[in-house]
Amino acid sequence: MRLIFFGPPGAGKGTQAKRLIAELDIPQISTGDILRQHRRAGTPLGVEAQGYMDNGKLVPDDLIIAMVGERLAEDDAGVGYILDGFPRTVPQAVALDGLLKQRGQSIDRVLVLRVPDTNIIARVVGRRVCKSCGNAHHVEFNPPKVDGVCDLDGGELYQRADDTEAKVRVRLDEYTHNTAPVAAYYEQRGIVREIAGVGLIDDVFGRLKGALG
Ligand code: AP5
């Protein structure tokens, strides 16, 4: 199964993807997580991406497309994947079509998580992310069992530099202008499913699985 998880920053894409990959046994390919790994490793891509990410802006398409092309060529992506945070512009969606066409593949579903902006800001500002596995907790909505420690792998939790109210407003603006049109790009193929992303994490997961049939 090849899926795209789509929605604004903080919609719950990563949270839901982590649950689904455990059931489907396919990888979660999060461009945000891959970029953060590059930054930690100090690669040229990580250095170039830093300014864009810390200011809530999108990283240029050519860098992202090359990075995703490499990731999709890895062995574990052969059985399918969840794309989380990609494609985020129409040129990225067109490039993805090109990569898939080379392999005789296509996207099965685009799952769009709908969450109002007021919920988004509360979610993002209270988010705490695991340094080792990228799992997201929330100080109020999804607190870890032990303060500062990830429930999944015991890693240290931290607050992302772009998880401030001011930065999330910039990211929402980027989403409205550059990313939202990507849903329309897929709409005509009949593979887009909209999911209410509010309510308990378990309830959203139930709706998501329902949308997958
Ligand atoms: P990225 O890391 O992809 O950030 P994002 O899209 O802004 O998404 P988030 O990770 O913020 O949110 P999410 O939807 O995964 O929510 P989560 O599950 O964590 O990208 C970061 C940056 O990298 C971008 O700004 C850009 O610079 C660059 N970038 C990445 N990809 C790019 C691309 N393709 N092109 C160009 N640039 C790119 O949940 C959020 C919080 O809410 C958590 O605390 C969680 O516990 C909580 N939560 C989840 N579900 C619920 C619920 N139902 N109720 C209450 N709380 C909930």
Side-chain angles (χ1 to χ4, degrees):
M1 217 178 225
R2 282 174 290 275
L3 307 172
I4 293 174
F5 276 20
F6 195 83
K13 304 179 294 291
T15 300
Q16 298 297 333
K18 288 235 164 2
R19 291 184 167 216
L20 197 61
I21 59 169
E23 293 200 3
L24 295 182
D25 202 19
I26 55 175
Q28 170 198 11
I29 298 181
S30 157
T31 43
D33 285 351
I34 300 172
L35 287 167
R36 283 183 284 277
Q37 283 161 12
H38 275 278
R39 288 181 56 173
R40 277 194 291 275
T43 67
L45 171 58
V47 171
E48 195 160 354
Q50 181 164 344
Y52 296 100
M53 295 174 77
D54 285 348
N55 289 310
K57 308 297 278 185
L58 291 179
V59 175
D61 286 336
D62 54 339
L63 299 177
I64 296 290
I65 291 164
M67 183 182 91
V68 172
E70 281 179 20
R71 181 64 185 87
L72 294 188
E74 289 178 28
D75 285 346
D76 66 340
V79 291
Y81 40 75
I82 297 175
L83 291 174
D84 165 8
F86 177 89
R88 230 166 167 119
T89 63
V90 172
Q92 290 182 18
V94 172
L96 175 62
D97 275 345
L99 290 168
L100 290 168
K101 200 172 171 192
Q102 286 167 13
R103 297 169 168 82
Q105 298 173 342
S106 58
I107 294 295
D108 297 300
R109 284 273 183 276
V110 178
L111 298 167
V112 182
L113 285 169
R114 294 280 177 216
V115 180
D117 288 2
T118 43
N119 299 59
I120 292 290
I121 290 168
R123 285 187 188 187
V124 171
V125 171
R127 172 167 52 190
R128 299 294 181 269
V129 183
C130 176
K131 272 188 179 166
S132 54
C133 75
N135 179 41
H137 279 282
H138 190 281
V139 290
E140 185 183 346
F141 309 135
N142 183 21
K145 292 188 183 87
V146 179
D147 205 23
V149 178
C150 176
D151 282 358
L152 287 191
D153 71 348
E156 183 189 342
L157 298 177
Y158 77 106
Q159 185 168 20
R160 278 170 42 179
D162 58 344
D163 277 355
T164 63
E165 182 167 344
K167 302 271 171 64
V168 80
R169 288 192 188 280
V170 177
R171 286 156 63 196
L172 280 169
D173 196 53
E174 287 278 80
Y175 179 79
T176 303
H177 291 102
N178 296 308
T179 307
V182 176
Y185 178 85
Y186 289 108
E187 203 69 65
Q188 61 208 1
R189 300 184 194 177
I191 57 171
V192 176
R193 299 289 180 273
E194 300 225 352
I195 296 148
V198 289
L200 294 176
I201 291 172
D202 282 346
D203 293 345
V204 177
F205 190 55
R207 290 197 281 273
L208 193 140
K209 286 208 291 185
L212 282 175

